[in-house]
């Protein structure tokens, strides 16, 4: 960015405070839902939401390159970049598993399995050199956008069905 040093420092400091607040909130939500899961192990939804929050917590931390600030050897940065991408790929099916636990008839097991298969396939691509998997990552964006529309449609359908159901 171009500007006065004080303005840039203030902007960067505000961004750090915001990021670490989000990271702390996601960690607290994850712990809370893990606690709920350990109280009632037959309900899996809190566990899935806790896992999702932990994945998104790490993603927020790594997306802003905070691990790079902690590294002594810059060659380790590639490992953090791969982990960041893995959280993106795996986060979507974990969230859909959470929704399936809440609305089992709206999110069929076969769809969840297909999302996991795609996520693991893209995660496996992280084993190839960075130049190649970075060029393939936009394909997963299409999967993500399609899943988002599908999730919104299914949640709206569930809301409509619950309104039409007799009390």
């Amino acid at each position: 960015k171009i500007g006065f040093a004080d303005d840039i420092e203030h902007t960067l400091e505000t961004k750090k405070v915001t990021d670490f607040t989000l990271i702390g909130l996601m960690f607290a939500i994850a712990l809370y839902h893990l606690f709920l899961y350990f109280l009632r192990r037959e309900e899996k939804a809190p566990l899935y939401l806790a896992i999702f929050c932990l994945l998104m917590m790490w993603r927020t931390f790594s997306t802003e390159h905070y691990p790079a600030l902690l590294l002594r050897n810059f060659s380790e940065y590639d490992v953090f970049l791969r982990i960041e991408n893995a959280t993106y790929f795996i986060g979507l099916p974990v969230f859909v598993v959470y929704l399936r636990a809440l609305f089992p008839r709206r999110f069929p097991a076969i769809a969840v399995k297909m999302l996991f298969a795609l996520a693991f396939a893209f995660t496996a691509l992280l084993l190839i050199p960075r130049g190649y998997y970075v060029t393939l990552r936009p394909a997963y964006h299409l999967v993500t956008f399609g899943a988002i529309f599908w999730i919104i449609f299914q949640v709206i359908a569930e809301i409509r069905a619950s309104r039409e159901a007799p009390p």
Side-chain angles (χ1 to χ4, degrees):
K1 290 187 175 187
I2 298 176
F4 295 108
D6 291 342
D7 293 340
I8 294 171
E9 285 179 23
H10 176 71
T11 301
L12 291 175
E13 194 61 34
T14 302
K15 177 81 172 120
K16 280 185 198 175
V17 168
T18 303
D19 288 341
F20 282 101
T21 301
L22 285 172
I23 289 167
L25 286 171
M26 284 186 268
F27 185 68
I29 291 168
L31 285 180
Y32 174 75
H33 283 85
L34 281 173
F35 180 73
L36 288 178
Y37 170 71
F38 288 123
L39 287 177
R40 299 185 68 178
R41 290 182 188 244
E42 66 276 359
E43 291 185 25
K44 301 290 187 202
L47 175 64
Y48 301 139
L49 185 59
I51 294 169
F52 178 75
C53 286
L54 291 171
L55 284 169
M56 293 304 104
M57 180 189 79
W58 178 257
R59 180 156 178 76
T60 302
F61 181 73
S62 62
T63 300
E64 294 304 321
H65 307 292
Y66 295 122
L69 300 174
L70 304 173
L71 296 177
R72 295 182 185 163
N73 183 356
F74 193 73
S75 66
E76 296 171 355
Y77 178 71
D78 191 54
V79 173
F80 283 102
L81 187 62
R82 290 170 193 271
I83 293 171
E84 173 190 330
N85 282 288
T87 61
Y88 169 55
F89 299 145
I90 297 169
L92 176 64
V94 168
F95 185 69
V96 173
V97 167
Y98 164 68
L99 291 174
R100 178 172 165 66
L102 297 177
F103 313 113
R105 65 188 184 117
R106 294 287 172 192
F107 296 92
I110 188 72
V112 174
K113 288 177 183 176
M114 286 174 32
L115 278 174
F116 267 110
L118 284 169
F120 286 131
F122 276 88
T123 302
L125 290 175
L126 296 175
L127 300 174
I128 63 176
R130 184 178 358 159
Y132 297 109
Y133 80 77
V134 170
T135 60
L136 296 172
R137 190 174 46 193
Y140 197 75
H141 296 329
L142 297 175
V143 173
T144 302
F145 288 127
I148 289 170
F149 288 121
W150 176 63
I151 289 167
I152 291 169
F153 177 78
Q154 294 301 338
V155 170
I156 289 171
E158 183 63 29
I159 291 169
R160 285 186 177 164
S162 67
R163 286 186 181 172
E164 295 170 1

